[in-house]
Amino acid sequence: MVDHGKRYTEVKKLAETGKVYTPAEAVGLAKKAATCKFDETVELHLRMGLDPRNSAQVVRGVALMPAGLGKKVRVLVFAQGDAERIAREAGADFVGADDLIAKINEGWTEFDIAIATPDMMGKVGKLGKALGRKGLMPNPKAGTVVAAGDLPQTIKEARMGRVEFKLDRTAIIHVTLGKASFEESALMENLTSLMEAVVRAKPAGAKGQYIKSVCLTTTMGPGFMLDLRPTMALAGA
């Protein structure tokens, strides 16, 4: 048994056992429960009706967070030639080719998202061990391997707040929605965008109930179970 402190024991009362909440109710309660001295992160956890061992049922996608994520996103771009110039003009924090690859091989990973042009992937692919375990490897399915002409828009979206989601080995999707200090309307915007993206990413091999349950929580707060019907309605489903 975990021995929770007085603060958690008090805010836990906000989450009634067995009760489900509308998305708006859950957002409001999660903000009330975020009573720590730091700005807690708001998270969404979706239990999916999928088999992560079946490649036809794997879910992976990207959602744009209209209200951002509450932090500065450091963007790195692997590019060379004209693409390098385009990336620099678009405002990427770090741009390069062999020089960046060598730096990362030495252990440097002070960035939040990595983007690459297709011609760079032969070299970038060798960084699998360094970037893969940190979730930083550019991937076409995640929209982070793009042509030079698409770099400005991709970099802009990364700055806005762009989260990648994927099914883990326990058939759950974990995603950051923003900060507890956000206005409720901002968190609802991000929640809506995320639900739309997850529904769009439904694999053809999915069978039965796609999303089984959804829980909204904060870094140090209790979980609030969402009523599936109004939650799915956010995505028009």
Side-chain angles (χ1 to χ4, degrees):
M1 293 288 288
V2 177
D3 186 18
H4 291 293
K6 292 182 179 179
R7 187 206 64 83
Y8 182 85
T9 300
E10 190 62 31
V11 298
K12 181 68 173 65
K13 296 176 183 178
L14 293 170
E16 296 181 35
T17 303
K19 183 173 181 178
V20 294
Y21 300 88
T22 66
E25 287 173 337
V27 165
L29 288 170
K31 282 176 62 63
K32 287 182 180 179
T35 57
C36 287
K37 294 181 180 180
F38 64 92
D39 194 4
E40 296 182 47
T41 297
V42 180
E43 308 163 358
L44 196 71
H45 306 277
L46 303 95
R47 186 165 64 89
M48 310 298 290
L50 301 169
D51 181 359
R53 298 167 298 179
N54 185 338
S55 61
Q57 294 188 27
V58 172
V59 174
R60 183 170 189 169
V62 173
L64 297 180
M65 301 286 99
L69 293 172
K71 66 175 184 178
K72 182 183 185 301
V73 179
R74 300 164 297 178
V75 180
L76 177 147
V77 179
F78 294 106
Q80 56 191 353
D82 197 44
E84 181 176 354
R85 176 188 59 79
I86 292 172
R88 291 189 187 283
E89 292 178 353
D93 297 283
F94 311 101
V95 185
D98 293 337
D99 54 336
L100 283 182
I101 291 172
K103 192 173 181 180
I104 291 169
N105 271 324
E106 292 173 359
W108 178 79
T109 54
E110 299 300 315
F111 52 93
D112 302 298
I113 184 170
I115 300 167
T117 52
D119 62 301
M120 288 297 303
M121 287 307 294
K123 295 180 178 180
V124 175
K126 297 176 182 179
L127 295 173
K129 288 185 178 180
L131 299 183
R133 62 174 177 264
K134 292 179 178 291
L136 294 171
M137 176 62 76
N139 187 302
K141 292 182 179 179
T144 47
V145 177
V146 299
D150 294 325
L151 284 172
Q153 182 62 30
T154 304
I155 292 170
K156 179 182 177 181
E157 290 177 354
R159 291 263 188 242
M160 287 172 55
R162 185 177 187 278
V163 295
E164 181 180 350
F165 59 85
K166 60 181 178 180
L167 191 72
D168 72 8
R169 65 183 64 186
T170 63
I172 296 177
I173 293 175
H174 308 274
V175 194
T176 295
L177 282 184
K179 294 292 184 179
S181 60
F182 282 17
E183 294 291 335
E184 291 183 25
S185 58
L187 289 170
M188 283 299 298
E189 281 186 79
N190 285 354
L191 174 57
T192 299
S193 180
L194 175 64
M195 290 304 301
E196 289 173 344
V198 171
V199 169
R200 282 197 306 270
K202 182 177 181 178
K207 298 178 181 180
Q209 187 175 352
Y210 180 47
I211 300 176
K212 288 191 171 182
S213 65
V214 182
C215 179
L216 185 76
T217 185
T218 57
T219 307
M220 303 297 289
F224 298 92
M225 300 303 298
L226 273 62
D227 187 333
L228 277 180
R229 182 170 294 180
T231 302
M232 295 297 290
L234 293 175

